[in-house]
Amino acid sequence: MTSQTDGSIITTDIAIIGSGMGGGTLAYALRNRGAKVLIIERGGYLPREPENWSPTAVFADLRYKTTEEFLDGRGRPFRPGIFYGVGGNTKSYGAALPRLRRQDFGVIETGEGVSPAWPITYEDLEPYYGQAERMFAVHGSADLDPTEPPRSTPYPFPPVAHEPVIAELADNLAGQGLHPYPMQLGIDIREGGACVRCATCDGFPCQLLAKSDAETCAVTPALESDDVSLMTNARALLLRTDPTGRRITGIEIDHNGQRRVVVAKTYVLATSAINSAAMLLRSATDRHPRGLANSSGLVGRGLMKHQNTALMAVGPKRNPVVFQKTLAMNDWYLGDGKSHLPLGNAQMLGKLQPGMLAMSVPFVPQRALAEVAGRSIDWLAMSEDLPDPDNRVTLDASGRIVMRWQPNNTIGHKKLVKALSSAMRRAGYPLIQSRAFDYGMIAHQCGTLRFGDDPATSVLDPLCRTHDVDNLYVMDASFMPSSGAQNPALTIAAQALRVAEKANFN
Ligand SMILES: Cc1cc2nc3c(=O)[nH]c(=O)nc-3n(C[C@H](O)[C@H](O)[C@H](O)COP(=O)(O)OP(=O)(O)OC[C@H]3O[C@@H](n4cnc5c(N)ncnc54)[C@H](O)[C@@H]3O)c2cc1C
Ligand code: SF4
């Protein structure tokens, strides 16, 4: 360990709480700069074991999901879809790594409200998107999607090839006048790469460390530097401030059951959107009874998690695909031809398997599920949800996290599901089954501590420093003022690289 420890007090220059997409990428970018960086992670390393690839272990037994409970808006407990440990949620993610579209950085009228503008443009983030794509070894092609934003650097690797069933579907969809394109993916499938193209990638940890998760691509390489160290099983409990309330003086942590304090010059909260907002609320003092960095009253508000629907298109032929998630479409992203109202993105899911479906429809016999899953092509329809201030994170009297979230932009989302269903019927898949994601599926949580220029209307500045507390940054999905309708992880990594380059951490 490079940081200093004196019994219960540990000192360092920069303390990063959380080792996921935001925290891990930032630690990597800050290595070898002379400052000591300590990553504080509440979980441990996810074990590499046969269960990594077992649909029953992962989806029925919920082996890697937290057992922690949040409360919904009516005070009912639920178990959120969160994975704590080194690499955070990226250990189980689908490694779909697209950029937001250029339009997502401006104001977008959705028909049910406005998706607000970002304080930075696509062009401000573009070079860092390129760096993040190289860091997370993204495969893709810039040629086929008309919404592809301008790029200064090519994709580091060519697209992951479709298997025959998906190639045939891509031809059919193109014949319908649509523009299917290869999904941008972070898997190590290049010549000589470690990926064996298995059927258990999306939602599963990778037993071979061949997925571009934050442990593999950020934390492990960061730890090669003498400047960076990692404490596992170290849960941050709250942030202490000085009497002015403008500086953090330490982090109280529970390290393997022992209370300790981490003292640093600069602190970075990177515990994901819901937990970071909760940490600021939990760190309230007499001077800041509404929570830290909350002069705007916006801490916890504007929670987004996308409107997501899983869609199974069932056809007469068997679908023998192994790695299905290679195709996506943005044809309805900026409108459906009849209006300019944005509907969202359609992308393949990893191949659904009976063990996974059993969770959603426990009353249907396994044989019937196997029959349906064997003939289906499986999609995710994803629409933007708007940052409603009433969709928010609070704490109850005992400090438990309360997550209130009502869907919005529902008309656009229904149109997206309808457009995708029609395209799949035309492609020869007459039976469509669709199901909205459950309340507790918060994979794409973001937006609880939005960034902006004005301290009255944002919590963080454009470099993710809190407006109110001089030595406190937040570098996870919370900064996003709108979610677009693309998977968020690459955008979080790009912003972390931008912050590392431009912010003054001394
Ligand atoms: C099943 C699933 C599939 C997904 N698929 C995709 C995909 O294909 N593409 C995509 O772009 N995104 C995907 N996502 C979302 C993506 O994983 C997240 O957007 C991303 O990981 C968010 O980064 P983050 O830094 O905000 O949080 P995380 O990556 O979750 O990191 C938060 C870290 O903080 C740690 N932590 C939390 N509380 C504390 C505490 N009190 N003290 C210390 N440490 C703490 C956690 O253990 C974790 O390491 C998926 C998510 C899930 C769950
Ligand atoms: S498809 Fe490749 S990267 Fe994904 S889990 Fe399988 S081996 Fe790992």
Side-chain angles (χ1 to χ4, degrees), residues 27-73:
Y28 175 79
L30 293 175
R31 78 201 187 287
N32 300 338
R33 292 217 196 155
K36 300 291 177 211
V37 178
L38 174 64
I39 310 171
I40 300 158
E41 169 53 55
R42 73 177 268 173
Y45 280 93
L46 193 143
R48 292 168 66 187
E49 54 187 8
E51 287 85 350
N52 292 166
W53 286 347
S54 157
T56 307
V58 174
F59 283 87
D61 302 342
L62 307 178
R63 185 175 178 84
Y64 305 110
K65 186 168 155 174
T66 181
T67 54
E68 179 182 27
E69 287 183 336
F70 291 174
L71 303 175
D72 70 11

Side-chain angles (χ1 to χ4, degrees), residues 132-153:
E133 284 169 346
R134 290 189 288 283
M135 187 172 164
F136 289 90
V138 179
H139 294 250
S141 159
D143 300 334
L144 294 168
D145 174 12
T147 73
E148 178 81 15
R151 315 171 51 87
S152 58
T153 46

Side-chain angles (χ1 to χ4, degrees), residues 7-10 17 38-44 231-240 250-262 279 282:
S8 62
I9 297 182
I10 302 144
I17 313 173
L38 174 64
I39 310 171
I40 300 158
E41 169 53 55
R42 73 177 268 173
M231 283 177 89
T232 53
N233 301 311
R235 180 177 179 178
L237 303 173
L238 53 86
L239 306 173
R240 288 182 182 169
I251 311 165
E252 286 186 28
I253 65 168
D254 176 331
H255 186 210
N256 289 318
Q258 197 192 347
R259 274 293 169 114
R260 306 178 82 178
V261 177
V262 175
M279 181 75 75
R282 202 173 284 129

Side-chain angles (χ1 to χ4, degrees), residues 186-387:
I187 57 174
D188 187 13
I189 202 164
R190 67 207 146 117
E191 190 72 34
C195 173
V196 295
R197 197 170 179 138
C198 71
T200 46
C201 192
D202 194 7
F204 297 81
C206 178
Q207 212 179 330
L208 304 177
L209 296 184
K211 189 193 281 189
S212 298
D213 59 46
E215 177 200 338
T216 310
C217 295
V219 177
T220 300
L223 291 173
E224 285 169 13
S225 165
D226 286 343
D227 290 342
V228 182
S229 51
L230 167 70
M231 283 177 89
T232 53
N233 301 311
R235 180 177 179 178
L237 303 173
L238 53 86
L239 306 173
R240 288 182 182 169
T241 47
D242 71 3
T244 69
R246 286 209 63 92
R247 290 194 73 76
I248 305 292
T249 55
I251 311 165
E252 286 186 28
I253 65 168
D254 176 331
H255 186 210
N256 289 318
Q258 197 192 347
R259 274 293 169 114
R260 306 178 82 178
V261 177
V262 175
V263 176
K265 293 178 189 140
T266 305
Y267 299 84
V268 183
L269 198 47
T271 57
S272 75
I274 293 173
N275 276 305
S276 288
M279 181 75 75
L280 293 180
L281 296 173
R282 202 173 284 129
S283 303
T285 61
D286 290 347
R287 215 180 152 79
H288 299 280
R290 295 199 298 177
L292 280 189
N294 198 15
S295 61
S296 63
L298 290 171
V299 167
R301 292 188 185 270
L303 170 68
M304 295 165 280
K305 64 186 190 89
H306 280 148
Q307 286 254 29
N308 283 325
T309 292
L311 187 147
M312 292 174 79
V314 186
K317 285 195 283 186
R318 294 204 70 74
N319 175 7
V321 76
V322 177
F323 187 94
Q324 179 173 256
K325 190 178 176 144
T326 54
L327 184 145
M329 284 191 292
N330 278 326
D331 286 277
W332 307 290
Y333 201 84
L334 302 170
D336 59 2
K338 295 176 204 133
S339 84
H340 290 298
L341 298 181
L343 306 190
N345 166 272
Q347 62 183 253
M348 306 247 94
L349 284 168
K351 183 76 206 83
L352 290 178
Q353 298 175 40
M356 297 157 77
L357 294 172
M359 266 279 288
S360 330
V361 276
F363 43 87
V364 179
Q366 280 288 326
R367 269 217 348 246
L369 290 178
E371 186 58 27
V372 174
R375 292 172 194 283
S376 71
I377 288 197
D378 316 292
W379 288 88
L380 170 62
M382 188 194 319
S383 305
E384 173 158 22
D385 57 335
L386 300 173

Side-chain angles (χ1 to χ4, degrees), residues 360-443:
S360 330
V361 276
F363 43 87
V364 179
Q366 280 288 326
R367 269 217 348 246
L369 290 178
E371 186 58 27
V372 174
R375 292 172 194 283
S376 71
I377 288 197
D378 316 292
W379 288 88
L380 170 62
M382 188 194 319
S383 305
E384 173 158 22
D385 57 335
L386 300 173
D388 178 348
D390 292 330
N391 282 348
R392 63 185 295 206
V393 177
T394 54
L395 302 176
D396 77 352
S398 65
R400 282 213 284 178
I401 291 176
V402 181
M403 184 191 107
R404 288 186 178 78
W405 185 84
Q406 289 287 334
N408 60 46
N409 198 19
T410 49
I411 297 169
H413 187 58
K414 279 186 191 142
K415 283 186 177 175
L416 175 67
V417 173
K418 199 170 164 197
L420 178 59
S421 303
S422 302
M424 288 306 288
R425 282 199 194 93
R426 284 195 295 272
Y429 293 83
L431 179 64
I432 306 289
Q433 292 289 318
S434 63
R435 188 183 160 116
F437 277 19
D438 293 343
Y439 192 84
M441 290 185 76
I442 51 168

